[in-house]
Amino acid sequence: MKKIGRPKVDSEAVMVRMPREMIDMLDDARRNEADLPTRPEMIRRILAAWADQTKSS
C-alpha cells in the first residue's frame, strides 16, 4: 500500500526573523522575477546565487 502525503526530502525548515526593511527588499526582488516566487523560494535563490559566487571566488 502506498503512503499518501509529501515525499521525504533531505531538507529542514529554518525559521528566520528579519527586519521589515529587509522583508521589503526581499519583496521588491521577488517582483523583479518573471514568475513571482514565494518568499522562501526567493531566499533559496538568493542563497544559491551567493553559494555559486562564493565557490567561484
Side-chain angles (χ1 to χ4, degrees), residues 6 9-16 40 43-44:
R6 290 182 65 187
V9 293
D10 186 20
S11 67
E12 185 175 336
V14 178
M15 299 295 292
V16 178
I43 292 168
R44 283 189 287 271

Side-chain angles (χ1 to χ4, degrees), residues 27-42:
D27 288 342
D28 289 343
R30 290 173 53 225
R31 282 191 280 280
N32 289 329
E33 296 291 307
D35 59 344
L36 189 60
T38 63
R39 284 177 177 166
E41 176 59 24
M42 193 65 203

Side-chain angles (χ1 to χ4, degrees), residues 1-21:
M1 180 156 126
K2 279 189 162 183
K3 290 185 177 183
I4 298 175
R6 290 182 65 187
K8 288 189 177 183
V9 293
D10 186 20
S11 67
E12 185 175 336
V14 178
M15 299 295 292
V16 178
R17 186 170 296 274
M18 292 191 277
R20 170 54 54 193
E21 181 179 300

